[in-house]
Amino acid sequence: MADVVNRKDGRLWSSTGIVHSNKKLSEVLNFLLGEVLFENGNGESGNITLSETSSNFRQMEIFYKSSDNTWSSVKLDYPNGKRAYLSAGWSSATLYHKSKIISIDGNKITNQSFNTSAIANNKSPTTTSDNLILITKVVGHR
């Protein structure tokens, strides 16, 4: 592996050449780490307002959990104007599947639909329109 050097002009170099052409170290770190656009440790089941429009980002990662504390995330490239499917499952004696479809438009994340299904041994599956997926954090990458 080549050594990486940060030159005075901000470009990254290695013994094999430029690591990331014409990008300053701060720009590379901003892309890798991202910018937090929304955060709520308890989670939000309703519509969300982001601190900046989604059209300013090349990639967005949405972190979420279900009401039974199952955590996951989804990444979207060029997120503005797109929909995403969020889902989580959990099982004990009953298998639970919780899902939500959201849309991303400008600085808004809006619920489109959601449901919860439960399947127990020797019983018919049940589905309810419960909104049990909670978004905890949204990070944008330029």
Side-chain angles (χ1 to χ4, degrees), residues 68 89-96 119:
D68 51 24
W90 184 78
S91 179
S92 58
T94 301
L95 171 66
Y96 296 95
I119 304 170

Side-chain angles (χ1 to χ4, degrees), residues 98-132:
K98 300 165 185 187
S99 62
K100 175 190 291 202
I101 297 174
I102 58 169
S103 63
I104 303 159
D105 189 22
N107 70 336
K108 303 285 185 196
I109 294 180
T110 307
N111 292 322
Q112 298 297 307
S113 65
F114 40 81
N115 69 40
T116 299
S117 299
I119 304 170
N121 289 336
N122 302 319
K123 293 185 180 179
S124 297
T126 60
T127 300
T128 60
S129 55
D130 295 327
N131 185 0
L132 300 176

